[in-house]
């Protein structure tokens, strides 16, 4: 069962694209990040000074998607609050004349028209997407996983929207991964098109063993989906892990030749994985104008100390 929650009022940029809506599934259990995710959604873990999911919504807005539906689950009140106004905090900052922090508090609610729906039970990513059916209607739409960050300097989503305009149907984002890692992802069988970064997807399989994987192309957390996916999802039975898998529904669409892939070789982070989360924070902190210079020089010293043995990485450092 999916339950609608009233939208927050916001301003939104104008869009000229056929696709205007984004769906952000954020109702998973986040078991890989326990115990931090016991009472906090993994999408709210801070990446430097913003929750991961804010980067995702910023990415949607930057690609011109001004309507964002969050699919949330238990303990997801924090997500709803983050993209809402915070009157007491705003009043306190306004009274102090702290306009920089005031803007940072107001920004999330201004990014797009943000709506929420509850996925009553985490029955799988395919089910989470199906919860968006009534809101999305009969239009193509984007799906951005709430814990999957594409570096803000990349333009993957815009490229995927262009590919949807060109080829119609659905578009997935693909990344080449080490064959040892393919069992962690959905994997695509592909055929070349005339374009270097675009392939036709002929088949999809969820988390295959290395031996059964048709390629080393992993499906990452960005999709532009044709509304035909909803009918397919309605009849998709639970698959791997007992969950309704988006990959299984896309496999059916791929068999009709209506799925393309954009091959991405830029920076992407899975913030639901502890090691990748740490890499994300370090990389994005180093890229910041305000924090980068000081943090980078500390990091260099720290790494040099680890290498020459003057720093023990297991213990707390004074500097
Ligand atoms: P994951 O595959 O990362 O699963 O979901 P998970 O349950 O959230 O996390 P782990 O593996 O237990 O640590 C990918 C995306 O799909 C959403 C998640 O919130 C995440 O953004 N999702 C997953 C849902 O919204 N609903 C679900 O039922 C499952």
């Amino acid at each position: 069962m999916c339950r609608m929650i009233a939208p927050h009022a916001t301003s939104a940029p104008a869009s000229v694209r056929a696709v205007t809506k984004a769906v952000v599934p954020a109702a998973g259990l986040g078991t890989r990040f326990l115990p931090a995710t016991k009472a906090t959604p993994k999408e709210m873990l801070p990446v430097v000074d913003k929750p991961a999911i804010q980067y995702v919504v910023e990415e949607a807005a930057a690609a011109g998607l001004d309507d964002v539906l969050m699919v949330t689950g238990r303990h997801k009140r924090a997500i709803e609050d983050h993209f809402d106004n915070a009157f007491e905090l705003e009043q306190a900052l306004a009274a102090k004349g702290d306009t920089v922090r005031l803007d940072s508090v107001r920004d999330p609610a201004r990014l797009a028209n943000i709506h929420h729906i509850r996925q009553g039970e985490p029955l799988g990513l395919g089910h989470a997407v199906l919860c968006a059916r009534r809101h999305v209607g009969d239009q193509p739409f984007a799906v951005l996983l709430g814990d999957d960050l594409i570096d803000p300097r990349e333009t993957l989503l815009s490229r995927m929207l262009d590919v949807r305009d060109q080829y119609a149907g659905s578009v997935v984002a693909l990344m080449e991964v080490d064959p040892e890692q393919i069992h962690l992802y959905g994997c695509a069988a592909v055929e070349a098109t005339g374009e270097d970064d675009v392939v036709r997807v002929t088949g999809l399989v969820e988390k295959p063993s290395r031996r059964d994987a048709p390629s080393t192309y992993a499906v990452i957390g960005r999709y532009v989906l044709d509304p035909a996916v909803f009918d397919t999802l309605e009849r998709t039975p639970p698959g791997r892990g007992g969950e309704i898998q988006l990959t299984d529904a896309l496999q059916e669409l791929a068999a009709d030749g209506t799925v393309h892939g954009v091959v991405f070789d830029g920076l992407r982070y899975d913030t639901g994985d502890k090691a990748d989360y740490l890499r994300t924070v370090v990389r994005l902190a180093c890229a910041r104008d305000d924090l980068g210079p000081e943090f980078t020089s500390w990091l260099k010293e720290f790494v040099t100390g680890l290498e020459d043995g003057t720093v023990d990485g297991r213990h707390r450092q004074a500097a």
Side-chain angles (χ1 to χ4, degrees):
M1 270 297 282
C2 309
R3 189 157 57 82
M4 287 299 289
I5 295 167
H8 302 304
T10 55
S11 61
S15 170
V16 290
R17 287 190 187 279
V19 180
T20 58
K21 290 183 179 170
V23 174
V24 179
L29 292 178
T31 54
R32 285 171 298 154
F33 224 124
L34 285 169
T37 46
K38 182 180 172 191
T40 304
K42 65 176 167 178
E43 293 81 4
M44 286 301 292
L45 294 176
V47 176
V48 189
D49 55 4
K50 290 187 284 193
I53 198 168
Q54 186 173 335
Y55 292 85
V56 173
V57 176
E58 285 171 356
E59 181 190 340
L65 307 182
D66 58 10
D67 181 300
V68 176
L69 176 72
M70 312 267 182
V71 184
T72 59
R74 66 181 191 118
H75 301 322
K76 301 291 175 147
R77 192 82 231 172
I79 297 178
E80 292 155 17
D81 288 346
H82 185 72
F83 290 97
D84 200 354
N85 297 110
F87 293 109
E88 275 183 16
L89 187 55
E90 289 175 32
Q91 267 176 0
L93 291 168
K96 280 203 233 167
D98 191 342
T99 51
V100 174
R101 290 198 178 94
L102 183 58
D103 278 344
S104 77
V105 166
R106 286 180 171 160
D107 281 347
R110 290 170 174 162
L111 285 168
N113 291 307
I114 307 220
H115 312 261
H116 300 274
I117 192 167
R118 287 271 177 150
Q119 183 188 17
E121 270 182 274
L123 298 177
L125 177 58
H127 180 259
V129 171
L130 194 51
C131 287
R133 181 171 203 165
R134 206 154 61 117
H135 181 86
V136 167
D138 200 19
Q139 298 296 319
F141 63 105
V143 173
L144 296 86
L145 300 193
D147 60 343
D148 208 333
L149 257 65
I150 301 297
D151 193 282
R153 292 159 285 191
E154 307 283 0
T155 54
L156 170 64
L157 188 56
S158 294
R159 178 66 183 136
M160 293 175 73
L161 294 168
D162 289 345
V163 169
R164 154 74 204 191
D165 285 347
Q166 198 180 335
Y167 293 91
S170 296
V171 184
V172 297
L174 300 174
M175 260 188 119
E176 283 224 74
V177 298
D178 189 295
E180 298 296 333
Q181 300 292 309
I182 198 69
H183 70 281
L184 300 171
Y185 297 90
C187 175
V190 302
E191 273 175 3
T193 64
E195 295 182 81
D196 282 353
D197 66 334
V198 182
V199 289
R200 201 162 69 79
V201 175
T202 57
L204 283 158
V205 46
E206 182 65 16
K207 299 189 171 74
S209 67
R210 182 185 170 163
R211 220 187 40 204
D212 297 334
S215 75
T216 49
Y217 282 117
V219 179
I220 58 168
R222 297 293 178 271
Y223 307 80
V224 178
L225 299 178
D226 190 85
V229 76
F230 291 127
D231 280 345
T232 314
L233 280 168
E234 293 277 10
R235 53 175 185 269
T236 300
R240 208 185 158 86
E243 296 190 343
I244 297 172
Q245 299 286 356
L246 180 58
T247 308
D248 293 345
L250 288 173
Q251 155 63 21
E252 198 178 315
L253 298 177
D256 297 337
T258 59
V259 180
H260 285 81
V262 170
V263 179
F264 178 65
D265 62 1
L267 296 169
R268 173 254 171 191
Y269 318 98
D270 176 3
T271 63
D273 173 81
K274 287 177 192 173
D276 220 18
Y277 171 81
L278 294 172
R279 284 189 278 270
T280 313
V281 173
V282 170
R283 268 194 187 268
L284 295 185
C286 288
R288 284 268 295 249
D289 289 341
D290 53 347
L291 297 165
E294 192 188 331
F295 181 64
T296 307
S297 77
W298 174 84
L299 193 60
K300 280 183 192 155
E301 256 177 62
F302 182 70
V303 172
T304 307
L306 283 177
E307 282 167 356
D308 65 21
T310 56
V311 161
D312 181 345
R314 289 169 301 176
H315 298 294
R316 189 166 174 269
Q317 301 302 307

